[in-house]
Amino acid sequence: MQKKWWKESVVYQIYPRSFMDSNGDGIGDLQGIISKLDYLKTLGVDVIWLSPVYKSPNDDNGYDISNYQDIMDEFGTLKDWEELLAGLHTRGMKLMMDLVVNHSSDEHAWFIESRKSKDNPYRDYYIWRDGKENKEPNNWSSFFSGSAWQYDETTDQYYLHLFSKKQPDLNWENKTVRKEVYDMMTWWLDKGIDGFRMDVINLISKVEGLPDGPGEGRYEWGGEHFMNGPRVHEFLQEMNKEVLSKYDIITVGESPGATIEDAVQYANNQYTELNMIFTFEHMDIDSGEGGKWDLKPFELTAFKEVMSKWQIGLNGKGWNSLYLNNHDQPRIVSRFGNDKEYRVESAKMLGTFLHMLQGTPYIYQGEEIGMTNVKFDLEDYNDIEIKNMYREAVIEGGENLDKVMEAIYAKGRDNARTPVQWDSTENGGFTTGTPWLKLNPNYQKINVEQALADENSVFYYYQKLIKLRKQYEIIVYGDYQLILEDDKQVYAYTRTLGEETLLVITNFSGEKPTFILPTNLPFETKDLLISNYKTEETEDIASIELQPYEARVYLLK
Ligand code: NOJ
């Protein structure tokens, strides 16, 4: 397997709006991040992925960009950004920027021009169509509920927006659009950034003719006509040739609906497209057929199946990104762990599980201190996805309010977006003003200051997980194999490299199941590399009664 620095790295995601506010306006900013760089260095992460900081009207908190080459006023200036980049580089860390080019904001100069007239030179930068019999051009629904089309009176046509109506999709069929994007990317790379996380990059190519999605409803899921579309690999290869291949960088493409076959192409070993992609199958594990808001209980065996499929499917052919949290996902300790009596244990267990897999691990801000989900009153939520879903389900659809609220508590994106809890002072030390989104009320108990003062905290455990990756090649490059496939409580797997075996045992339950070591795993010596309970080094591991949410990693020789 080819060795690469980005395979050996750990990435930490910052959602700037919620990270740290330096000027008391209630919104996180670049100087706030700069003030926490030593903290990130102490944690030991290698790369920072910065969610969008560009100019934006914030319909979708920065994922709607009105100027790709400038910084949002609330966050600071380009000069602040340069200071951030330098601060990271001086400390030996790298910076990965978010690239959001499936769509722009409707307030981007290109779109302002585009909507003016059918013969405007920018018209074809976006996807405009006539309506059909006084209805939308096709039946596609938006990721954020309702139609994916917005009617525009000026020219009596509709434009496509797979996300909010303030996020019109760019027309990648247009060569000039592609060139503009590549020039913009080059501009950032020449400033010295170290890579891109690419927002929904596998949606950029739409099937010709934009055919209807299957189904009889007015709005239907048209995903098969725009996920991993016909020209997506051609576009990414062009982007790679024109831009990416000229730099030694890290690239990860967010790719909903990608299969292993797709991934092997996106993240191929010749690196003609990207380094890795973010997939979603493991995050859909607790969703029913109705999608993310249709709650379904977590089943460990189903989760094992998905994870193992990706671990084995990409082994030697591509590269996995490993994540359980990000700004779109609920907090993992509340989701697959236990955020009450076993919060610390289960947060450590989930971290162990993830960091010992093959791939590049991503940590999302607050994960390293075991931050949890929230339950807000409806009016305290900010997220457009939540608001649109609520409107469609409850106000227009008459669905049961309690059921919808349960879904928001479990899956709402604001779970991840409450401000980082730095200490136990007002607003968790995040801001001296009024925070743009309320804090999780548990900040007095769960916060960075507390974690740094407690040697048994989730923070120091994560620090150790990161260190281990630097010490043991097997953690980065070893082959994965699932053991005890049918166990409903214990997720155990091995990694092998040369003569060595790494044994990872994680208990996903609050009970005390027994782990029985398979007989085909002989060894002479064993080293306990990390565990979340006190464990005797000499303990016989042929059979272990595990503690609730226990995790152990052994190196067997
Ligand atoms: C995926 C991003 O992660 C999410 O936050 C955003 O709302 C959509 N793409 C649209 O940009």
Side-chain angles (χ1 to χ4, degrees):
M1 191 179 298
Q2 293 177 48
K3 294 191 174 162
K4 294 282 176 190
W5 64 263
W6 44 264
K7 294 183 177 175
E8 296 166 14
S9 297
V10 176
V11 182
Y12 184 97
Q13 183 193 354
I14 291 183
Y15 190 70
R17 209 172 177 77
S18 306
F19 191 67
M20 178 66 200
D21 174 22
S22 74
N23 62 1
D25 66 357
I27 299 172
D29 50 42
L30 294 174
Q31 283 301 332
I33 301 174
I34 292 169
S35 71
K36 299 294 183 188
L37 290 183
D38 287 334
Y39 167 74
L40 297 171
K41 186 67 192 167
T42 307
L43 180 59
V45 293
D46 307 284
V47 180
I48 300 301
W49 151 25
L50 190 58
S51 277
V53 291
Y54 316 98
K55 282 248 189 304
S56 164
N58 283 307
D59 191 50
D60 186 20
N61 289 336
Y63 282 93
D64 48 322
I65 298 170
S66 54
N67 183 344
Y68 288 102
Q69 280 160 267
D70 204 351
I71 302 293
M72 187 188 304
D73 290 337
E74 296 95 306
F75 290 170
T77 62
L78 257 180
K79 208 164 147 277
D80 295 317
W81 179 86
E82 274 157 12
E83 194 183 324
L84 170 64
L85 181 68
L88 283 167
H89 284 171
T90 329
R91 288 169 180 80
M93 292 184 278
K94 295 181 190 288
L95 180 62
M96 175 160 80
M97 294 291 276
D98 217 308
L99 182 79
V100 189
V101 288
N102 172 68
H103 45 269
S104 72
S105 162
D106 67 339
E107 296 183 34
H108 192 291
W110 298 338
F111 191 76
I112 293 174
E113 285 302 311
S114 184
R115 76 187 330 170
K116 279 185 182 160
S117 65
K118 286 186 178 167
D119 56 7
N120 188 286
Y122 288 89
R123 183 67 172 182
D124 199 34
Y125 271 45
Y126 295 87
I127 303 172
W128 292 96
R129 293 288 184 280
D130 288 327
K132 260 192 207 156
E133 296 141 24
N134 286 331
K135 278 204 309 213
E136 294 85 0
N138 71 21
N139 65 0
W140 295 359
S141 60
S142 141
F143 278 84
F144 292 162
S145 307
S147 172
W149 295 93
Q150 177 66 25
Y151 178 68
D152 205 47
E153 262 183 2
T154 318
T155 53
D156 188 29
Q157 279 197 318
Y158 291 80
Y159 64 85
L160 179 70
H161 62 88
L162 292 179
F163 293 88
S164 96
K165 58 176 190 254
K166 285 183 68 64
Q167 291 168 298
D169 279 51
L170 282 160
N171 178 16
W172 276 72
E173 301 291 325
N174 181 341
K175 213 170 173 343
T176 321
V177 168
R178 305 205 296 273
K179 170 102 176 40
E180 296 256 26
V181 170
Y182 304 154
D183 288 351
M184 175 271 283
M185 292 172 73
T186 303
W187 187 81
W188 284 104
L189 285 161
D190 287 345
K191 285 191 174 296
I193 67 166
D194 305 289
F196 287 112
R197 174 267 184 188
M198 302 185 187
D199 193 69
V200 287
I201 200 68
N202 71 328
L203 308 187
I204 57 178
S205 164
K206 280 84 179 169
V207 168
E208 215 186 307
L210 311 179
D212 277 338
E216 299 300 311
R218 174 142 187 194
Y219 308 132
E220 294 286 347
W221 177 241
E224 67 206 73
H225 302 306
F226 54 76
M227 295 193 311
N228 312 301
R231 296 184 71 190
V232 68
H233 294 292
E234 177 196 333
F235 294 157
L236 286 176
Q237 282 162 26
E238 182 183 76
M239 177 198 283
N240 185 290
K241 189 165 151 273
E242 299 294 324
V243 187
L244 307 176
S245 60
K246 300 179 181 159
Y247 305 84
D248 179 20
I249 52 174
I250 176 171
T251 53
V252 51
E254 189 196 24
S255 307
T259 61
I260 294 202
E261 293 69 44
D262 297 320
V264 166
Q265 255 185 294
Y266 288 126
N268 67 74
N269 280 339
Q270 281 71 50
Y271 307 114
T272 54
E273 297 185 21
L274 306 171
N275 294 158
M276 57 190 132
I277 63 169
F278 285 132
T279 60
F280 286 79
E281 240 184 301
H282 69 305
M283 291 280 97
D284 294 338
I285 208 82
D286 52 359
S287 302
E289 295 201 335
K292 84 177 252 186
W293 304 109
D294 177 13
L295 305 183
K296 184 173 136 189
F298 173 77
E299 240 183 73
L300 185 63
T301 43
F303 184 62
K304 286 181 187 180
E305 203 183 309
V306 168
M307 294 307 297
S308 302
K309 186 176 87 183
W310 281 93
Q311 285 287 301
I312 293 161
L314 294 197
N315 188 27
K317 297 188 189 147
W319 191 250
N320 275 292
S321 65
L322 307 170
Y323 76 95
L324 291 172
N325 286 281
N326 63 36
H327 65 292
D328 294 330
Q329 300 293 339
R331 293 282 177 184
I332 203 63
V333 68
S334 304
R335 188 177 183 184
F336 297 172
N338 175 326
D339 63 5
K340 308 223 160 45
E341 59 268 50
Y342 298 118
R343 184 185 67 85
V344 170
E345 291 79 1
S346 64
K348 291 176 180 175
M349 181 281 288
L350 290 160
T352 314
F353 161 73
L354 194 78
H355 282 245
M356 294 300 130
L357 290 170
Q358 191 189 69
T360 300
Y362 289 72
I363 301 171
Y364 176 67
Q365 65 187 33
E367 176 183 340
E368 77 280 14
I369 57 164
M371 278 177 62
T372 67
N373 280 355
V374 281
K375 284 186 182 174
F376 283 157
D377 293 336
L378 187 69
E379 59 272 19
D380 288 330
Y381 287 103
N382 165 280
D383 180 21
I384 181 162
E385 185 188 39
I386 295 179
K387 289 184 172 167
N388 286 0
M389 184 279 279
Y390 177 84
R391 200 188 54 233
E392 192 177 79
V394 179
I395 300 179
E396 293 161 12
E399 268 190 48
N400 178 283
L401 176 65
D402 292 342
K403 192 171 157 231
V404 169
M405 288 312 290
E406 282 309 316
I408 294 174
Y409 299 152
K411 293 285 186 68
R413 304 194 298 180
D414 282 340
N415 281 309
R417 300 176 180 186
T418 60
V420 172
Q421 300 163 200
W422 294 103
D423 58 37
S424 58
T425 64
E426 209 184 341
N427 292 322
F430 163 71
T431 181
T432 54
T434 309
W436 70 277
L437 182 68
K438 280 191 172 170
L439 272 92
N440 189 318
N442 64 20
Y443 71 84
Q444 279 164 345
K445 208 178 119 234
I446 303 168
N447 59 62
V448 168
E449 190 179 57
Q450 178 281 330
L452 291 176
D454 173 6
E455 59 177 26
N456 290 317
S457 67
V458 180
F459 178 89
Y460 290 116
Y461 193 89
Y462 264 68
Q463 188 186 51
K464 189 160 177 194
L465 287 173
I466 297 167
K467 241 186 224 146
L468 286 173
R469 165 167 297 264
K470 315 275 175 242
Q471 289 166 331
Y472 297 94
E473 246 196 354
I474 192 169
I475 297 178
V476 181
Y477 295 108
D479 292 345
Y480 165 97
Q481 195 160 18
L482 180 65
I483 55 176
L484 309 181
E485 190 177 331
D486 300 322
D487 197 303
K488 292 188 167 55
Q489 293 170 306
V490 182
Y491 192 150
Y493 60 89
T494 59
R495 306 280 308 280
T496 45
L497 188 70
E499 299 296 294
E500 292 182 353
T501 299
L502 191 79
L503 172 64
V504 182
I505 308 167
T506 52
N507 176 10
F508 272 69
S509 82
E511 288 161 28
K512 294 184 167 186
T514 304
F515 166 84
I516 309 273
L517 186 71
T519 46
N520 62 351
L521 272 180
F523 59 92
E524 280 165 24
T525 62
K526 66 174 198 312
D527 275 327
L528 180 67
L529 302 190
I530 190 164
S531 61
N532 62 349
Y533 281 86
K534 278 217 164 49
T535 307
E536 285 299 327
E537 291 268 350
T538 53
E539 188 182 336
D540 182 4
I541 60 167
S543 161
I544 310 170
E545 180 184 285
L546 294 171
Q547 296 299 312
Y549 296 100
E550 183 164 0
R552 301 184 188 193
V553 180
Y554 287 100
L555 185 64
L556 308 178
K557 287 191 202 169

